[in-house]
Amino acid sequence: MIEQPFITTLRLLLRPFVLTDAPGVQTLAGDKSIASTTLNIPHPYENSVAEKWIASQAKNFAAGSSVTFAVSHRNDNMLMGAISLEISRKHRHAEMGYWIGKPYWNQGYCTESAMALLQYGFDILDLQRIFAHHLTRNPASGRVMQKIGMVHEGCLRKHVLKWNVFEDLEVYGLLQGEWKSLPDIIENMWYE
Ligand SMILES: CC(C)(COP(=O)(O)OP(=O)(O)OC[C@H]1O[C@@H](n2cnc3c(N)ncnc32)[C@H](O)[C@@H]1OP(=O)(O)O)[C@@H](O)C(=O)NCCC(=O)NCCS
């Protein structure tokens, strides 16, 4: 069986979650500002939700249906967030999703993680397309998608019902060929 890899970038270690991360996940993902702009994170974040989520990840990785990495600082392994790919082997595409704990926002950590995940998805998983979406009212996430070279593909109007409000969703995507032709300077920013 293939083991989920560890990925090292300039500042980060992307690694599989372990059960001892659960309290950290509950604290960081439990902040309302994380639930507010994501579609699958509950609020309040009850006890045992993090444990169940972490426990599901190895099974999903083994099945090839998703891969989830803990975003941690490579110097001290401190947990800062999560990033994942939901994979369709049939279509060789995947949807990227991520959150970074509020104390760590706007330091480039999500962008650095997402660049690494693009490389993993295209080079290791041999995906044809990686896409992502964000609520229109969440421009920070859109900025991450732009910074990693994704192309804005459109707006799905009133596509999701979030906390009783129908909201617009912006869709971004990147093809393997486009990834390979991104300037080296972008890729090299995130690796040793
Ligand atoms: C979206 C999120 C993951 C970004 O994480 P991050 O580590 O802060 O991202 P980065 O630092 O790599 O990049 C953030 C960019 O957004 C910009 N930004 C922040 N707030 C912004 C705003 N209100 N409007 C426009 N741009 C904004 C930052 O300036 C930065 O861009 P820059 O480098 O060009 O200056 C984080 O805010 C988060 O976890 N939010 C809650 C969960 C969520 O929304 N997840 C995504 C669901 S689609």
Side-chain angles (χ1 to χ4, degrees):
M1 197 177 76
I2 301 169
E3 293 278 317
Q4 184 174 335
F6 290 63
I7 303 174
T8 308
T9 68
L10 275 181
R11 298 176 296 171
L12 302 174
L13 174 66
L14 305 188
R15 57 168 177 81
F17 273 97
V18 288
L19 275 179
T20 50
D21 289 315
V25 169
Q26 186 175 16
T27 302
L28 294 174
D31 189 307
K32 196 174 180 185
S33 60
I34 303 292
S36 165
T37 50
T38 50
L39 297 179
N40 296 315
I41 296 181
H43 192 80
Y45 203 103
E46 307 282 3
N47 292 338
S48 84
V49 171
E51 282 85 351
K52 282 186 193 143
W53 178 60
I54 292 168
S56 70
Q57 291 169 12
K59 190 166 51 83
N60 292 338
F61 179 79
S65 56
S66 69
V67 57
T68 303
F69 289 95
V71 177
S72 64
H73 208 285
R74 63 182 271 181
N75 290 340
D76 56 8
N77 198 18
M78 181 182 63
L79 179 68
M80 295 191 286
I83 189 160
S84 64
L85 291 174
E86 292 295 320
I87 302 160
S88 164
R89 291 309 321 172
K90 180 178 174 188
H91 299 293
R92 278 178 51 206
H93 71 207
E95 177 176 351
M96 184 186 288
Y98 44 68
W99 57 264
I100 297 289
K102 197 167 183 182
Y104 312 112
W105 284 5
N106 295 327
Q107 297 171 60
Y109 291 134
C110 187
T111 305
E112 192 165 325
S113 313
M115 285 300 293
L117 206 61
L118 284 183
Q119 184 174 51
Y120 176 72
F122 287 130
D123 286 352
I124 307 297
L125 301 180
D126 196 24
L127 296 169
Q128 162 66 13
R129 163 179 164 78
I130 296 177
F131 63 100
H133 58 239
H134 69 88
L135 296 175
T136 302
R137 67 174 165 83
N138 184 17
S141 184
R143 188 73 197 111
V144 170
M145 293 169 199
Q146 291 159 14
K147 286 194 290 179
I148 65 174
M150 282 186 162
V151 176
H152 184 238
E153 296 176 333
C155 173
L156 303 178
R157 295 171 303 150
K158 309 289 178 209
H159 188 67
V160 289
L161 185 57
K162 175 70 187 181
W163 291 348
N164 286 326
V165 177
F166 287 106
E167 294 213 38
D168 296 349
L169 213 55
E170 306 295 332
V171 182
Y172 281 76
L174 190 66
L175 305 180
Q176 190 187 72
E178 293 168 341
W179 158 253
K180 288 188 189 300
S181 63
L182 281 179
D184 283 349
I185 181 86
I186 296 181
E187 191 174 336
N188 291 341
M189 280 167 74
W190 314 111
Y191 293 92
E192 293 176 290

